[in-house]
Amino acid sequence: MPLKGHVPTAHKTYWLEHAWLGTHVEPGVALDVADDGHIAAVRTEAATPPPGAEVLRGLTVPGLANAHSHAFHRALRGTVQVGSGTFWTWRDFMYKVAQNLTPDSYFALARAVYAEMALAGITAVGEFHYVHHAPGGAPYADPNAMGEALIEAAAEAGIRITLLDTAYLAAGFGQAPSTHQLRFSDTTADAWAERVSALKPREHALIGAAIHSVRAVPAGQLATVAAWAAQRRAPLHVHLSEQTAENDACLAAHGRTPAQLLADHGVLGPRTTGVHNTHLTDADIALLGSTTTGTCMCPTTERDLADGIGPAVRLQRAGSPLSLGSDSHAVIDLLEEARAMELNERLSSRTRGHWTANALLTAATEDGHAALGWSQAGRLEAGALADFTTIALDSVRTAGPLPRLGAETAVFAASAADVRHTVVGGRHIVRDGAHTLVPDVPSALAATIAALRS
């Protein structure tokens, strides 16, 4: 299924005033897009726009990949900042919002959230989706109604989605789901696999799998989820060691860390991404690195929930590829996630320069897309998907540095507010800072969030 309303584009050319090509910023680049939505050619030394080309002024980079999202958490922004509390008190409020979701209201909210992502330069999202059933746990007439709503919402917002359909079966080690969690649970991993097998990929959508956490999927059922993903060569994501309480409970129940438990049941590997990976032992880090299991860092959520700073430098050095996500959507800004990963490490270590700007942009683009199964995205080169975004170099945040320092400017100075254009499959989704498919994104967000409070 093509992107909503999509008509295959005729061959067209974009002229990029400045383009980040993975290692450096190149001035004057003509980017030809074939009518199948892939890049046909990248021509450098194009000092002036070719006749008929669409002009993108600023710094164009590959589309950003938001590798970890819970779309309905966007309704929590601001509200959960009142007072204090812990991750666990935040979770209680999250459950209340989840209880009010229906397929229709989730579609409307997700459409607005994904449109906000497009405005932030995000061209693909990994939706870690676990609100499957009606309140009380009864399946909808279409057991995948909620997942289908998210897939359609991404289409209407004009971005790609990897639906990471999530197994969430228990409240904790040896604990049945709570009342709030009943709508998350398929009761067994086999039942989860049967339901998710009915979901089909589309042009803009891939189907992946997720294990919510080791506390939410009994150890004896982890292998079922891993096997489902392996048979389809699909991405598999898992919340891993987000809080120390999870580690303590896992050690008490199984005598090993969550990472070791996942390894014992065949979950780790190059198509698997651990989300957060915050509280790891030295052995855990070596295990994730040796299996090339990825790490998705979500710094703005991790700091919002006071979860801690994960060992991202050590994980990457051990062999774990890094990606980035906005998770609970305290903000939706992948440039801020990239910046925060470096700045958090500086605060923790009291040294600077753990990643170059190029490396941080790679985590936000190519490596993020790879974690979501979009191996053809994340690069400005012939044959890649024509997904890219343009960041202003003349805003109050970005004016001043030389254009050749565009990568540093984007990562360490720019914000989502500086995104001027977003193109997905050669199609302009955001033009001059305005969404072309969702005419008033702020109003759509306000209306859909207000409806969940009523």
Side-chain angles (χ1 to χ4, degrees), residues 9-65:
T9 55
H11 184 92
K12 62 168 35 171
T13 298
Y14 287 92
W15 182 77
L16 317 179
E17 184 181 28
H18 303 282
W20 179 69
L21 300 182
T23 57
H24 67 288
V25 173
E26 184 78 22
V29 174
L31 192 151
D32 298 326
V33 179
D35 55 11
D36 66 355
H38 288 73
I39 297 172
V42 177
R43 295 179 282 129
T44 58
E45 299 183 358
T48 59
E54 292 204 40
V55 174
L56 303 184
R57 296 203 176 274
L59 175 71
T60 297
V61 304
L64 305 177

Side-chain angles (χ1 to χ4, degrees), residues 44-113:
T44 58
E45 299 183 358
T48 59
E54 292 204 40
V55 174
L56 303 184
R57 296 203 176 274
L59 175 71
T60 297
V61 304
L64 305 177
N66 188 353
H68 190 66
S69 162
H70 304 289
F72 78 93
H73 289 192
R74 176 61 177 81
L76 306 176
R77 186 184 296 177
T79 306
V80 291
Q81 310 305 330
V82 177
S84 59
T86 66
F87 167 85
W88 308 102
T89 56
W90 170 92
R91 189 177 70 161
D92 288 340
F93 192 87
M94 178 271 288
Y95 285 156
K96 294 177 183 178
V97 173
Q99 285 298 99
N100 291 332
L101 292 170
T102 67
D104 287 343
S105 67
Y106 206 5
F107 162 77
L109 174 61
R111 176 178 178 266
V113 174

